[in-house]
Protein backbone atom coordinates (compact mmCIF):
# COMPACT_ATOMS: atom_id res chain seq x y z
CA UNK A 1 0.00 0.00 0.00
CA UNK A 2 1.37 3.42 -0.93
CA UNK A 3 1.43 6.45 1.38
CA UNK A 4 -1.65 7.81 -0.40
CA UNK A 5 -3.56 4.64 0.47
CA UNK A 6 -3.64 3.41 -3.11
CA UNK A 7 -2.55 -0.12 -3.96
CA UNK A 8 0.75 -0.28 -5.79
CA UNK A 9 0.28 -1.97 -9.15
CA UNK A 10 3.77 -1.92 -10.78
CA UNK A 11 6.43 -4.20 -9.33
CA UNK A 12 9.89 -5.41 -10.22
CA UNK A 13 10.17 -9.15 -10.85
CA UNK A 14 12.17 -9.66 -7.64
CA UNK A 15 9.74 -7.63 -5.51
CA UNK A 16 6.70 -9.42 -6.87
CA UNK A 17 8.35 -12.81 -6.48
CA UNK A 18 9.17 -12.08 -2.83
CA UNK A 19 5.61 -10.91 -2.08
CA UNK A 20 4.04 -13.89 -3.83
CA UNK A 21 6.30 -16.40 -2.06
CA UNK A 22 5.24 -14.89 1.27
CA UNK A 23 1.59 -15.08 0.16
CA UNK A 24 1.80 -18.79 -0.57
CA UNK A 25 3.67 -19.33 2.68
CA UNK A 26 0.71 -17.61 4.33
CA UNK A 27 -1.50 -20.21 2.65
CA UNK A 28 0.54 -22.99 4.25
CA UNK A 29 3.25 -23.84 1.71
CA UNK A 30 6.90 -24.16 2.64
CA UNK A 31 9.17 -21.42 1.29
CA UNK A 32 10.81 -23.84 -1.17
CA UNK A 33 7.47 -25.10 -2.50
CA UNK A 34 6.07 -21.57 -2.70
CA UNK A 35 9.07 -20.52 -4.79
CA UNK A 36 8.29 -23.27 -7.32
CA UNK A 37 4.66 -22.16 -7.61
CA UNK A 38 5.56 -18.50 -7.90
CA UNK A 39 8.21 -19.09 -10.55
CA UNK A 40 5.57 -20.44 -12.93
CA UNK A 41 2.93 -17.81 -12.11
CA UNK A 42 5.29 -14.82 -12.32
CA UNK A 43 6.52 -16.03 -15.71
CA UNK A 44 2.89 -16.18 -16.81
CA UNK A 45 2.41 -12.54 -15.78
CA UNK A 46 5.66 -11.55 -17.48
CA UNK A 47 4.32 -13.15 -20.67
CA UNK A 48 1.12 -11.10 -20.35
CA UNK A 49 -0.97 -14.18 -19.48
CA UNK A 50 -2.58 -12.49 -16.49
CA UNK A 51 -5.53 -14.91 -16.28
CA UNK A 52 -3.03 -17.71 -15.57
CA UNK A 53 -0.56 -15.72 -13.47
CA UNK A 54 -0.64 -14.55 -9.86
CA UNK A 55 -4.37 -13.86 -10.18
CA UNK A 56 -4.61 -17.62 -9.59
CA UNK A 57 -3.81 -16.96 -5.93
CA UNK A 58 -7.56 -16.48 -5.53
CA UNK A 59 -8.69 -19.88 -6.83
CA UNK A 60 -5.64 -21.74 -5.51
CA UNK A 61 -6.00 -19.97 -2.17
CA UNK A 62 -9.69 -20.73 -1.82
CA UNK A 63 -9.03 -24.43 -2.34
CA UNK A 64 -6.01 -24.47 -0.04
CA UNK A 65 -8.09 -22.89 2.73
CA UNK A 66 -10.82 -25.55 2.46
CA UNK A 67 -8.16 -28.26 2.11
CA UNK A 68 -9.24 -29.14 -1.41
CA UNK A 69 -5.52 -28.79 -2.23
CA UNK A 70 -2.83 -30.08 0.14
CA UNK A 71 -0.55 -27.26 1.25
CA UNK A 72 2.41 -29.52 2.09
CA UNK A 73 2.15 -32.60 -0.14
CA UNK A 74 4.52 -35.54 -0.08
CA UNK A 75 5.41 -35.59 -3.78
CA UNK A 76 6.99 -38.85 -4.89
CA UNK A 77 8.96 -39.66 -8.06
CA UNK A 78 9.41 -43.23 -9.31
CA UNK A 79 11.54 -44.54 -12.20
CA UNK A 80 9.88 -47.62 -13.70
CA UNK A 81 12.27 -47.47 -16.68
CA UNK A 82 15.52 -45.56 -17.31
CA UNK A 83 14.02 -42.59 -19.20
CA UNK A 84 10.56 -42.67 -17.61
CA UNK A 85 9.41 -40.94 -14.43
CA UNK A 86 6.10 -41.27 -12.57
CA UNK A 87 5.26 -38.32 -10.33
CA UNK A 88 2.60 -38.56 -7.62
CA UNK A 89 1.67 -34.99 -6.72
CA UNK A 90 -0.26 -35.95 -3.56
CA UNK A 91 -2.89 -33.29 -4.42
CA UNK A 92 -0.38 -30.44 -4.27
CA UNK A 93 -0.71 -27.04 -5.92
CA UNK A 94 -0.52 -27.59 -9.69
CA UNK A 95 2.60 -25.53 -10.51
CA UNK A 96 4.46 -27.25 -7.65
CA UNK A 97 3.62 -30.68 -9.08
CA UNK A 98 4.42 -29.38 -12.56
CA UNK A 99 7.88 -28.19 -11.52
CA UNK A 100 8.64 -31.54 -9.88
CA UNK A 101 7.59 -33.33 -13.07
CA UNK A 102 9.60 -30.96 -15.26
CA UNK A 103 12.74 -31.52 -13.20
CA UNK A 104 12.18 -35.27 -13.27
CA UNK A 105 11.85 -35.26 -17.06
CA UNK A 106 14.93 -33.02 -17.43
CA UNK A 107 16.91 -35.40 -15.23
CA UNK A 108 15.89 -38.37 -17.39
CA UNK A 109 16.57 -36.54 -20.66
CA UNK A 110 19.90 -35.28 -19.34
CA UNK A 111 20.99 -38.87 -18.75
CA UNK A 112 19.46 -40.63 -21.73
CA UNK A 113 18.91 -37.94 -24.39
CA UNK A 114 15.13 -38.20 -24.05
CA UNK A 115 12.94 -38.35 -20.95
CA UNK A 116 9.28 -38.42 -20.08
CA UNK A 117 7.42 -37.73 -16.86
CA UNK A 118 3.79 -38.57 -16.16
CA UNK A 119 2.24 -36.66 -13.24
CA UNK A 120 -0.91 -37.52 -11.34
CA UNK A 121 -2.60 -36.18 -8.20
CA UNK A 122 -2.27 -32.60 -9.40
CA UNK A 123 -4.39 -29.49 -9.98
CA UNK A 124 -4.45 -26.56 -12.43
CA UNK A 125 -0.75 -26.01 -13.19
CA UNK A 126 -0.80 -22.66 -14.97
CA UNK A 127 0.08 -22.12 -18.63
CA UNK A 128 2.54 -24.39 -20.41
CA UNK A 129 4.86 -21.73 -21.83
CA UNK A 130 6.73 -21.09 -18.53
CA UNK A 131 7.69 -24.77 -18.32
CA UNK A 132 8.71 -24.77 -22.00
CA UNK A 133 10.89 -21.69 -21.44
CA UNK A 134 12.59 -23.18 -18.37
CA UNK A 135 13.27 -26.37 -20.33
CA UNK A 136 14.56 -24.44 -23.35
CA UNK A 137 16.93 -22.41 -21.17
CA UNK A 138 18.48 -25.72 -20.10
CA UNK A 139 18.78 -26.96 -23.69
CA UNK A 140 15.70 -29.19 -23.85
CA UNK A 141 13.05 -29.31 -26.56
CA UNK A 142 9.67 -30.13 -25.05
CA UNK A 143 6.16 -31.44 -25.60
CA UNK A 144 3.99 -30.75 -22.53
CA UNK A 145 0.30 -31.26 -21.88
CA UNK A 146 -2.33 -31.38 -19.15
CA UNK A 147 -5.95 -32.39 -18.91
CA UNK A 148 -8.67 -30.16 -17.50
CA UNK A 149 -12.23 -29.88 -16.23
CA UNK A 150 -14.82 -30.77 -18.88
CA UNK A 151 -16.01 -27.86 -21.05
CA UNK A 152 -16.13 -29.42 -24.55
CA UNK A 153 -18.69 -31.88 -25.93
CA UNK A 154 -17.43 -34.94 -27.82
CA UNK A 155 -17.71 -34.56 -31.60
CA UNK A 156 -21.41 -35.01 -32.39
CA UNK A 157 -22.34 -35.10 -28.68
CA UNK A 158 -24.57 -32.83 -26.63
CA UNK A 159 -22.93 -32.56 -23.22
CA UNK A 160 -19.45 -31.77 -21.86
CA UNK A 161 -17.27 -34.88 -21.73
CA UNK A 162 -13.71 -33.60 -22.29
CA UNK A 163 -11.62 -30.71 -21.10
CA UNK A 164 -10.09 -27.71 -22.84
CA UNK A 165 -6.71 -29.37 -22.34
CA UNK A 166 -3.59 -27.29 -23.07
CA UNK A 167 -0.73 -28.57 -25.21
CA UNK A 168 2.61 -26.90 -25.73
CA UNK A 169 5.86 -27.28 -27.66
CA UNK A 170 9.23 -25.65 -27.11
CA UNK A 171 12.58 -25.67 -28.98
CA UNK A 172 15.66 -23.91 -27.56
CA UNK A 173 17.77 -21.42 -29.44
CA UNK A 174 21.16 -20.96 -27.73
CA UNK A 175 21.81 -17.73 -29.63
CA UNK A 176 18.33 -16.21 -29.67
CA UNK A 177 14.70 -16.67 -28.74
CA UNK A 178 13.26 -20.15 -28.29
CA UNK A 179 10.18 -21.39 -30.12
CA UNK A 180 7.25 -21.51 -27.65
CA UNK A 181 3.81 -22.72 -28.69
CA UNK A 182 1.15 -22.88 -25.97
CA UNK A 183 -2.42 -23.58 -26.99
CA UNK A 184 -5.69 -24.85 -25.59
CA UNK A 185 -8.04 -27.07 -27.54
CA UNK A 186 -10.92 -24.60 -28.04
CA UNK A 187 -11.28 -22.17 -30.94
CA UNK A 188 -11.56 -19.25 -28.50
CA UNK A 189 -11.60 -18.71 -24.76
CA UNK A 190 -14.99 -18.46 -23.07
CA UNK A 191 -14.08 -14.87 -22.12
CA UNK A 192 -14.34 -13.82 -25.80
CA UNK A 193 -17.87 -15.19 -25.96
CA UNK A 194 -18.74 -13.42 -22.72
CA UNK A 195 -17.43 -10.11 -24.09
CA UNK A 196 -19.51 -10.51 -27.27
CA UNK A 197 -22.60 -11.11 -25.14
CA UNK A 198 -21.93 -7.93 -23.12
CA UNK A 199 -21.57 -5.92 -26.34
CA UNK A 200 -24.72 -7.42 -27.86
CA UNK A 201 -22.78 -8.92 -30.77
CA UNK A 202 -23.15 -12.25 -32.54
CA UNK A 203 -20.28 -14.73 -32.72
CA UNK A 204 -19.00 -16.99 -35.53
CA UNK A 205 -20.75 -20.35 -35.50
CA UNK A 206 -17.36 -22.06 -35.21
CA UNK A 207 -16.74 -20.82 -31.67
CA UNK A 208 -19.26 -22.78 -29.61
CA UNK A 209 -22.46 -24.80 -29.56
CA UNK A 210 -25.70 -24.39 -27.63
CA UNK A 211 -26.63 -26.77 -24.81
CA UNK A 212 -27.88 -29.29 -27.39
CA UNK A 213 -24.52 -29.42 -29.17
CA UNK A 214 -25.69 -27.37 -32.17
CA UNK A 215 -23.48 -24.64 -33.66
CA UNK A 216 -24.71 -21.17 -32.70
CA UNK A 217 -24.04 -17.49 -33.37
CA UNK A 218 -25.87 -16.44 -30.17
CA UNK A 219 -23.32 -15.74 -27.40
CA UNK A 220 -25.92 -16.32 -24.66
CA UNK A 221 -26.71 -19.77 -26.06
CA UNK A 222 -22.97 -20.41 -26.39
CA UNK A 223 -22.36 -19.52 -22.73
CA UNK A 224 -25.01 -22.07 -21.79
CA UNK A 225 -23.45 -24.61 -24.15
CA UNK A 226 -19.98 -25.88 -25.00
CA UNK A 227 -16.77 -24.64 -26.57
CA UNK A 228 -15.89 -25.89 -30.05
CA UNK A 229 -12.53 -27.66 -30.48
CA UNK A 230 -9.98 -26.21 -32.91
CA UNK A 231 -10.11 -27.82 -36.34
CA UNK A 232 -13.44 -29.56 -35.78
CA UNK A 233 -13.10 -33.32 -35.48
CA UNK A 234 -9.31 -33.03 -35.76
CA UNK A 235 -9.12 -30.82 -32.68
CA UNK A 236 -11.48 -33.19 -30.91
CA UNK A 237 -9.09 -36.05 -31.59
CA UNK A 238 -6.13 -33.96 -30.45
CA UNK A 239 -7.90 -33.08 -27.20
CA UNK A 240 -8.56 -36.76 -26.57
CA UNK A 241 -4.89 -37.59 -27.21
CA UNK A 242 -3.79 -34.98 -24.64
CA UNK A 243 -6.18 -36.44 -22.07
CA UNK A 244 -5.01 -39.99 -22.81
CA UNK A 245 -1.39 -39.00 -22.17
CA UNK A 246 -2.04 -36.60 -19.29
CA UNK A 247 -4.89 -38.46 -17.62
CA UNK A 248 -5.27 -42.06 -18.69
CA UNK A 249 -1.60 -43.11 -19.01
CA UNK A 250 -0.52 -41.10 -15.95
CA UNK A 251 -3.10 -42.92 -13.79
CA UNK A 252 -4.80 -39.59 -13.06
CA UNK A 253 -8.47 -38.76 -13.59
CA UNK A 254 -9.62 -38.33 -17.19
CA UNK A 255 -12.66 -37.00 -19.10
CA UNK A 256 -15.69 -36.84 -16.78
CA UNK A 257 -13.73 -38.37 -13.87
CA UNK A 258 -12.04 -34.96 -13.45
CA UNK A 259 -13.88 -33.03 -10.76
CA UNK A 260 -14.73 -29.36 -11.24
CA UNK A 261 -12.79 -27.13 -8.87
CA UNK A 262 -15.72 -24.69 -9.03
CA UNK A 263 -18.41 -27.23 -8.13
CA UNK A 264 -16.30 -29.24 -5.66
CA UNK A 265 -13.49 -26.98 -4.38
CA UNK A 266 -12.87 -29.16 -1.32
CA UNK A 267 -12.30 -32.37 -3.33
CA UNK A 268 -9.09 -33.44 -5.10
CA UNK A 269 -9.22 -33.08 -8.88
CA UNK A 270 -6.46 -35.59 -9.59
CA UNK A 271 -5.43 -33.79 -12.77
CA UNK A 272 -2.61 -35.28 -14.83
CA UNK A 273 0.24 -33.80 -16.88
CA UNK A 274 2.93 -35.14 -19.19
CA UNK A 275 6.38 -33.79 -20.01
CA UNK A 276 8.37 -35.16 -22.96
CA UNK A 277 11.87 -33.64 -23.19
CA UNK A 278 14.67 -34.03 -25.74
CA UNK A 279 18.23 -33.05 -24.86
CA UNK A 280 19.27 -31.02 -27.90
CA UNK A 281 22.87 -30.89 -26.66
CA UNK A 282 23.39 -34.48 -27.81
CA UNK A 283 22.13 -33.65 -31.31
CA UNK A 284 24.78 -31.04 -32.10
CA UNK A 285 26.72 -28.04 -30.83
CA UNK A 286 25.04 -24.86 -29.56
CA UNK A 287 26.22 -23.07 -32.72
CA UNK A 288 24.69 -25.79 -34.91
CA UNK A 289 21.30 -25.35 -33.27
CA UNK A 290 21.55 -21.54 -33.25
CA UNK A 291 22.32 -21.43 -36.97
CA UNK A 292 19.40 -23.71 -37.84
CA UNK A 293 16.94 -21.91 -35.54
CA UNK A 294 17.93 -18.52 -36.92
CA UNK A 295 17.57 -19.75 -40.49
CA UNK A 296 14.21 -21.33 -39.66
CA UNK A 297 12.92 -18.03 -38.22
CA UNK A 298 14.31 -15.90 -41.06
CA UNK A 299 12.53 -18.00 -43.69
CA UNK A 300 9.24 -17.13 -41.99
CA UNK A 301 10.05 -13.52 -41.10
CA UNK A 302 11.11 -12.79 -44.69
CA UNK A 303 7.62 -13.50 -46.00
CA UNK A 304 6.07 -10.20 -47.16
CA UNK A 305 3.28 -9.29 -44.73
CA UNK A 306 -0.29 -9.65 -46.00
CA UNK A 307 -1.21 -6.54 -43.98
CA UNK A 308 1.22 -3.63 -44.03
CA UNK A 309 2.87 -3.10 -40.66
CA UNK A 310 1.99 -6.58 -39.37
CA UNK A 311 5.02 -8.74 -39.99
CA UNK A 312 5.12 -12.51 -39.68
CA UNK A 313 5.81 -13.75 -36.16
CA UNK A 314 6.96 -17.03 -34.64
CA UNK A 315 5.07 -18.60 -31.72
CA UNK A 316 6.40 -17.19 -28.45
CA UNK A 317 7.71 -13.91 -29.86
CA UNK A 318 4.84 -11.81 -28.49
CA UNK A 319 5.18 -13.32 -25.01
CA UNK A 320 8.97 -12.99 -24.92
CA UNK A 321 8.77 -9.36 -26.08
CA UNK A 322 6.23 -8.65 -23.35
CA UNK A 323 8.51 -10.31 -20.81
CA UNK A 324 11.50 -8.16 -21.83
CA UNK A 325 9.38 -5.00 -21.60
CA UNK A 326 8.05 -5.83 -18.14
CA UNK A 327 11.42 -6.91 -16.82
CA UNK A 328 12.64 -3.42 -17.72
CA UNK A 329 9.59 -1.31 -16.83
CA UNK A 330 8.01 -3.45 -14.11
CA UNK A 331 5.16 -5.94 -13.98
CA UNK A 332 1.67 -4.41 -13.88
CA UNK A 333 -0.74 -6.31 -11.68
CA UNK A 334 -4.45 -5.87 -10.96
CA UNK A 335 -4.89 -3.99 -7.63
CA UNK A 336 -7.30 -6.68 -6.39
CA UNK A 337 -4.62 -9.35 -6.98
CA UNK A 338 -2.01 -7.27 -5.15
CA UNK A 339 -4.35 -6.80 -2.16
CA UNK A 340 -5.04 -10.53 -1.98
CA UNK A 341 -1.33 -11.35 -2.15
CA UNK A 342 -0.67 -8.86 0.65
CA UNK A 343 -3.47 -10.30 2.78
CA UNK A 344 -2.10 -13.83 2.49
CA UNK A 345 1.50 -12.65 2.95
CA UNK A 346 0.50 -11.02 6.24
CA UNK A 347 -0.42 -14.47 7.57
CA UNK A 348 3.05 -15.94 6.90
CA UNK A 349 5.02 -16.75 10.03
Amino acid sequence: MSESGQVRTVWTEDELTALAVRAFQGLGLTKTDAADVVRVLVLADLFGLSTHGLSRVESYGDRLMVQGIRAQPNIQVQSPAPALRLVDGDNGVGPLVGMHALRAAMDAAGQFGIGMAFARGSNHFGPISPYSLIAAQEGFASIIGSNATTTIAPWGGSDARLGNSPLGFGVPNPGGQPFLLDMAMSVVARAKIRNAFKRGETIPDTWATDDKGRATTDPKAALDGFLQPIGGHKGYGLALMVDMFAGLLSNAAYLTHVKSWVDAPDEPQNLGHFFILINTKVLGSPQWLTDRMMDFASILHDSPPAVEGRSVIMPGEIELKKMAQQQEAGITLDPAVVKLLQEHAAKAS
Side-chain angles (χ1 to χ4, degrees), residues 83-115:
L84 186 63
R85 303 289 185 268
L86 302 180
V87 180
D88 185 343
D90 194 31
N91 195 33
V93 181
L96 173 61
V97 180
M99 286 298 297
H100 274 262
L102 175 63
R103 284 192 290 263
M106 287 197 295
D107 175 68
Q111 293 182 59
F112 302 105
I114 187 167

Short mmCIF file of all heavy atoms in Angstrom, two decimals, residues 83-115:
data_model
loop_
_atom_site.label_atom_id
_atom_site.label_comp_id
_atom_site.label_asym_id
_atom_site.label_seq_id
_atom_site.Cartn_x
_atom_site.Cartn_y
_atom_site.Cartn_z
N ALA A 83 14.36 -43.95 -18.74
CA ALA A 83 14.02 -42.59 -19.20
C ALA A 83 12.61 -42.17 -18.83
O ALA A 83 12.13 -41.15 -19.30
CB ALA A 83 14.21 -42.50 -20.71
N LEU A 84 11.95 -42.94 -17.97
CA LEU A 84 10.56 -42.67 -17.61
C LEU A 84 10.43 -42.36 -16.13
O LEU A 84 11.03 -43.04 -15.29
CB LEU A 84 9.68 -43.88 -17.97
CG LEU A 84 8.17 -43.73 -17.81
CD1 LEU A 84 7.63 -42.65 -18.75
CD2 LEU A 84 7.49 -45.07 -18.10
N ARG A 85 9.65 -41.32 -15.81
CA ARG A 85 9.41 -40.94 -14.43
C ARG A 85 7.91 -40.87 -14.17
O ARG A 85 7.15 -40.36 -15.01
CB ARG A 85 10.04 -39.59 -14.11
CG ARG A 85 11.53 -39.50 -14.37
CD ARG A 85 12.34 -40.30 -13.37
NE ARG A 85 13.78 -40.12 -13.56
CZ ARG A 85 14.54 -40.89 -14.32
NH1 ARG A 85 13.98 -41.91 -14.97
NH2 ARG A 85 15.83 -40.67 -14.44
N LEU A 86 7.49 -41.37 -13.01
CA LEU A 86 6.10 -41.27 -12.57
C LEU A 86 6.08 -40.39 -11.34
O LEU A 86 6.74 -40.68 -10.34
CB LEU A 86 5.54 -42.65 -12.24
CG LEU A 86 5.55 -43.70 -13.36
CD1 LEU A 86 4.94 -45.01 -12.86
CD2 LEU A 86 4.79 -43.19 -14.59
N VAL A 87 5.31 -39.30 -11.41
CA VAL A 87 5.26 -38.32 -10.33
C VAL A 87 3.89 -38.34 -9.68
O VAL A 87 2.88 -38.11 -10.34
CB VAL A 87 5.57 -36.90 -10.86
CG1 VAL A 87 5.52 -35.88 -9.73
CG2 VAL A 87 6.92 -36.88 -11.56
N ASP A 88 3.84 -38.63 -8.39
CA ASP A 88 2.60 -38.56 -7.62
C ASP A 88 2.59 -37.24 -6.87
O ASP A 88 3.38 -37.03 -5.95
CB ASP A 88 2.52 -39.73 -6.63
CG ASP A 88 1.19 -39.78 -5.87
OD1 ASP A 88 0.46 -38.76 -5.86
OD2 ASP A 88 0.87 -40.83 -5.31
N GLY A 89 1.70 -36.34 -7.29
CA GLY A 89 1.67 -34.99 -6.72
C GLY A 89 1.01 -34.88 -5.37
O GLY A 89 1.06 -33.81 -4.75
N ASP A 90 0.36 -35.94 -4.88
CA ASP A 90 -0.26 -35.95 -3.56
C ASP A 90 -1.20 -34.75 -3.37
O ASP A 90 -1.29 -34.17 -2.30
CB ASP A 90 0.81 -35.96 -2.47
CG ASP A 90 0.25 -36.30 -1.08
OD1 ASP A 90 -0.74 -37.05 -1.00
OD2 ASP A 90 0.81 -35.78 -0.08
N ASN A 91 -1.91 -34.39 -4.45
CA ASN A 91 -2.89 -33.29 -4.42
C ASN A 91 -2.26 -31.95 -4.06
O ASN A 91 -2.87 -31.12 -3.37
CB ASN A 91 -4.05 -33.61 -3.46
CG ASN A 91 -5.24 -32.70 -3.69
OD1 ASN A 91 -5.52 -32.28 -4.81
ND2 ASN A 91 -5.96 -32.37 -2.62
N GLY A 92 -1.04 -31.72 -4.51
CA GLY A 92 -0.38 -30.44 -4.27
C GLY A 92 -0.84 -29.37 -5.25
O GLY A 92 -1.56 -29.64 -6.22
N VAL A 93 -0.42 -28.14 -5.00
CA VAL A 93 -0.71 -27.04 -5.92
C VAL A 93 -0.13 -27.38 -7.30
O VAL A 93 1.01 -27.86 -7.40
CB VAL A 93 -0.11 -25.72 -5.40
CG1 VAL A 93 -0.43 -24.57 -6.36
CG2 VAL A 93 -0.65 -25.40 -4.02
N GLY A 94 -0.90 -27.14 -8.36
CA GLY A 94 -0.52 -27.59 -9.69
C GLY A 94 0.88 -27.19 -10.14
O GLY A 94 1.65 -28.04 -10.61
N PRO A 95 1.26 -25.90 -10.05
CA PRO A 95 2.60 -25.53 -10.51
C PRO A 95 3.72 -26.19 -9.70
O PRO A 95 4.81 -26.41 -10.24
CB PRO A 95 2.62 -24.01 -10.32
CG PRO A 95 1.18 -23.61 -10.42
CD PRO A 95 0.43 -24.72 -9.76
N LEU A 96 3.46 -26.53 -8.45
CA LEU A 96 4.46 -27.25 -7.65
C LEU A 96 4.65 -28.66 -8.21
O LEU A 96 5.78 -29.11 -8.42
CB LEU A 96 4.01 -27.32 -6.19
CG LEU A 96 4.85 -28.20 -5.26
CD1 LEU A 96 6.30 -27.70 -5.20
CD2 LEU A 96 4.24 -28.27 -3.87
N VAL A 97 3.55 -29.35 -8.48
CA VAL A 97 3.62 -30.68 -9.08
C VAL A 97 4.26 -30.60 -10.46
O VAL A 97 5.11 -31.42 -10.83
CB VAL A 97 2.23 -31.33 -9.16
CG1 VAL A 97 2.32 -32.73 -9.78
CG2 VAL A 97 1.58 -31.40 -7.79
N GLY A 98 3.86 -29.57 -11.23
CA GLY A 98 4.42 -29.38 -12.56
C GLY A 98 5.92 -29.20 -12.55
O GLY A 98 6.64 -29.77 -13.38
N MET A 99 6.43 -28.42 -11.59
CA MET A 99 7.88 -28.19 -11.52
C MET A 99 8.61 -29.47 -11.12
O MET A 99 9.71 -29.75 -11.62
CB MET A 99 8.19 -27.06 -10.55
CG MET A 99 7.86 -25.67 -11.10
SD MET A 99 8.82 -25.25 -12.58
CE MET A 99 10.48 -25.24 -11.93
N HIS A 100 8.03 -30.26 -10.22
CA HIS A 100 8.64 -31.54 -9.88
C HIS A 100 8.71 -32.45 -11.11
O HIS A 100 9.73 -33.12 -11.34
CB HIS A 100 7.83 -32.22 -8.77
CG HIS A 100 8.22 -31.79 -7.38
ND1 HIS A 100 9.07 -32.50 -6.58
CD2 HIS A 100 7.87 -30.69 -6.66
CE1 HIS A 100 9.23 -31.88 -5.43
NE2 HIS A 100 8.51 -30.78 -5.45
N ALA A 101 7.62 -32.49 -11.88
CA ALA A 101 7.59 -33.33 -13.07
C ALA A 101 8.57 -32.84 -14.13
O ALA A 101 9.23 -33.64 -14.80
CB ALA A 101 6.17 -33.39 -13.63
N LEU A 102 8.66 -31.52 -14.29
CA LEU A 102 9.60 -30.96 -15.26
C LEU A 102 11.04 -31.33 -14.89
O LEU A 102 11.82 -31.76 -15.75
CB LEU A 102 9.45 -29.44 -15.32
CG LEU A 102 10.44 -28.69 -16.21
CD1 LEU A 102 10.30 -29.10 -17.66
CD2 LEU A 102 10.27 -27.17 -16.05
N ARG A 103 11.39 -31.17 -13.63
CA ARG A 103 12.74 -31.52 -13.20
C ARG A 103 13.02 -33.01 -13.38
O ARG A 103 14.13 -33.41 -13.76
CB ARG A 103 12.97 -31.09 -11.75
CG ARG A 103 13.17 -29.59 -11.58
CD ARG A 103 13.67 -29.26 -10.19
NE ARG A 103 12.64 -29.48 -9.18
CZ ARG A 103 11.85 -28.52 -8.69
NH1 ARG A 103 11.95 -27.29 -9.14
NH2 ARG A 103 10.95 -28.81 -7.77
N ALA A 104 12.01 -33.83 -13.10
CA ALA A 104 12.18 -35.27 -13.27
C ALA A 104 12.42 -35.62 -14.73
O ALA A 104 13.29 -36.46 -15.05
CB ALA A 104 10.94 -36.01 -12.75
N ALA A 105 11.67 -34.99 -15.63
CA ALA A 105 11.85 -35.26 -17.06
C ALA A 105 13.19 -34.72 -17.56
O ALA A 105 13.85 -35.35 -18.39
CB ALA A 105 10.71 -34.62 -17.85
N MET A 106 13.62 -33.56 -17.04
CA MET A 106 14.93 -33.02 -17.43
C MET A 106 16.05 -33.93 -16.95
O MET A 106 17.05 -34.12 -17.65
CB MET A 106 15.11 -31.59 -16.88
CG MET A 106 14.27 -30.55 -17.60
SD MET A 106 14.80 -28.82 -17.31
CE MET A 106 14.47 -28.65 -15.56
N ASP A 107 15.90 -34.48 -15.75
CA ASP A 107 16.91 -35.40 -15.23
C ASP A 107 17.03 -36.63 -16.13
O ASP A 107 18.13 -37.06 -16.48
CB ASP A 107 16.53 -35.82 -13.81
CG ASP A 107 17.48 -36.87 -13.25
OD1 ASP A 107 18.65 -36.54 -13.01
OD2 ASP A 107 17.04 -38.02 -13.08
N ALA A 108 15.88 -37.18 -16.53
CA ALA A 108 15.89 -38.37 -17.39
C ALA A 108 16.49 -38.04 -18.76
O ALA A 108 17.33 -38.79 -19.28
CB ALA A 108 14.47 -38.91 -17.55
N ALA A 109 16.07 -36.92 -19.34
CA ALA A 109 16.57 -36.54 -20.66
C ALA A 109 18.05 -36.17 -20.62
O ALA A 109 18.79 -36.40 -21.59
CB ALA A 109 15.75 -35.38 -21.22
N GLY A 110 18.48 -35.61 -19.49
CA GLY A 110 19.90 -35.28 -19.34
C GLY A 110 20.77 -36.53 -19.34
O GLY A 110 21.90 -36.51 -19.83
N GLN A 111 20.23 -37.62 -18.81
CA GLN A 111 20.99 -38.87 -18.75
C GLN A 111 20.90 -39.69 -20.03
O GLN A 111 21.89 -40.29 -20.47
CB GLN A 111 20.46 -39.74 -17.60
CG GLN A 111 20.70 -39.19 -16.21
CD GLN A 111 20.18 -40.14 -15.15
OE1 GLN A 111 20.62 -41.30 -15.08
NE2 GLN A 111 19.24 -39.69 -14.35
N PHE A 112 19.71 -39.69 -20.64
CA PHE A 112 19.46 -40.63 -21.73
C PHE A 112 19.15 -39.98 -23.07
O PHE A 112 18.87 -40.67 -24.05
CB PHE A 112 18.32 -41.57 -21.34
CG PHE A 112 18.59 -42.32 -20.07
CD1 PHE A 112 17.95 -41.97 -18.90
CD2 PHE A 112 19.51 -43.35 -20.06
CE1 PHE A 112 18.22 -42.66 -17.71
CE2 PHE A 112 19.79 -44.04 -18.88
CZ PHE A 112 19.14 -43.69 -17.70
N GLY A 113 19.19 -38.64 -23.13
CA GLY A 113 18.91 -37.94 -24.39
C GLY A 113 17.43 -37.62 -24.57
O GLY A 113 17.08 -36.62 -25.19
N ILE A 114 16.57 -38.45 -24.02
CA ILE A 114 15.13 -38.20 -24.05
C ILE A 114 14.55 -38.69 -22.72
O ILE A 114 15.02 -39.67 -22.14
CB ILE A 114 14.44 -38.92 -25.24
CG1 ILE A 114 12.97 -38.51 -25.35
CG2 ILE A 114 14.58 -40.44 -25.13
CD1 ILE A 114 12.32 -38.92 -26.67
N GLY A 115 13.57 -37.97 -22.21
CA GLY A 115 12.94 -38.35 -20.95
C GLY A 115 11.49 -37.97 -20.95
O GLY A 115 11.07 -37.03 -21.63
#
